[in-house]
Amino acid sequence: MSFVYYNQSPIIKNSLIHSNETLKTILETFPGDVFCCGGYPRDLISKHKTPKDIDLFFRNVETLTKVYHFLRGEKFKESHTVDYIRESKNFYFRIGDVVFNLIGLAYYDSIEECLDSFNFTINMVGFNHEKLVSYSTFSQHLSEKKLVVHSLGPIPWFLYSMQKYNEYGYKMSYYEAKKLAMRMKLGSYDETHPLCDYINMEAVNAA
């Protein structure tokens, strides 16, 4: 795995952390234990569209529980809610025009470990209170609107994500589609394959 780091970069302090006051407070209150990854930093960096939600990932369930109470305007009540948080896994809070997604499907020791679980390289970017981390090909694939698979994950959700990104203009190369068809055990790839809907056919015809 190859990552690019922007430690103490102005883009962190000015563009990302200060992009939302509630997010800034969370990251600075729980330094190193909360990671903002995926679509929010991707959209702020690319400026393709205004991000509508903020996905937060955590080092442990205790930190998720504290952030949950913070967003509810409550004091932390560990004995009452940690088990509930652990069982429920995900929570959503609308703060102004933005939805905060508290994600507890898994916990991560670092931003890098969190990014490694993502389906597509165009989402492999994240930050905490002090640094921005992206996958080595993140910027290239984002600028080219190139859909490249990193991790499959559950197949139904994966295919839904592919459809969503296809609607946003992201396309998969012919080579990537062939690899994906084999990984998903969907049979050999040809022009009638269901994955054709997500392929950059201009690149295929030029191959």
Side-chain angles (χ1 to χ4, degrees), residues 45-108:
I45 291 169
S46 69
K47 299 180 181 179
H48 286 164
K49 62 189 184 76
T50 302
K52 300 294 185 183
D53 59 338
I54 297 176
D55 293 338
L56 297 182
F57 301 83
F58 303 87
R59 189 183 293 271
N60 51 58
V61 67
E62 288 77 18
T63 303
L64 193 162
T65 305
K66 291 176 183 178
V67 174
Y68 168 86
H69 283 295
F70 168 76
L71 291 177
R72 287 172 59 92
E74 302 172 343
K75 292 184 178 180
F76 176 50
K77 306 171 186 177
E78 180 174 2
S79 61
H80 294 160
T81 53
V82 167
D83 289 341
Y84 166 70
I85 298 290
R86 185 181 287 110
E87 181 177 341
S88 300
K89 300 185 186 304
N90 293 339
F91 299 89
Y92 306 93
F93 292 88
R94 177 171 289 280
I95 309 292
D97 295 331
V98 177
V99 175
F100 281 79
N101 303 323
L102 311 187
I103 300 174
L105 293 172
Y107 299 96
Y108 306 96

Side-chain angles (χ1 to χ4, degrees), residues 121-172:
T121 56
I122 58 168
N123 292 325
M124 294 179 67
V125 60
F127 64 99
N128 60 11
H129 67 297
E130 63 180 1
K131 66 179 181 180
L132 170 68
V133 181
S134 71
Y135 190 57
S136 57
T137 57
F138 160 77
S139 295
Q140 176 188 347
H141 294 168
L142 185 66
S143 64
E144 295 174 356
K145 288 209 161 186
K146 190 174 183 180
L147 200 58
V148 177
V149 178
H150 177 73
S151 174
L152 276 181
I155 298 300
W157 176 252
F158 179 82
L159 292 175
Y160 166 78
S161 297
M162 286 185 64
Q163 179 181 0
K164 178 179 70 173
Y165 291 121
N166 183 64
E167 293 170 355
Y168 294 157
Y170 293 92
K171 293 290 185 178
M172 190 173 289

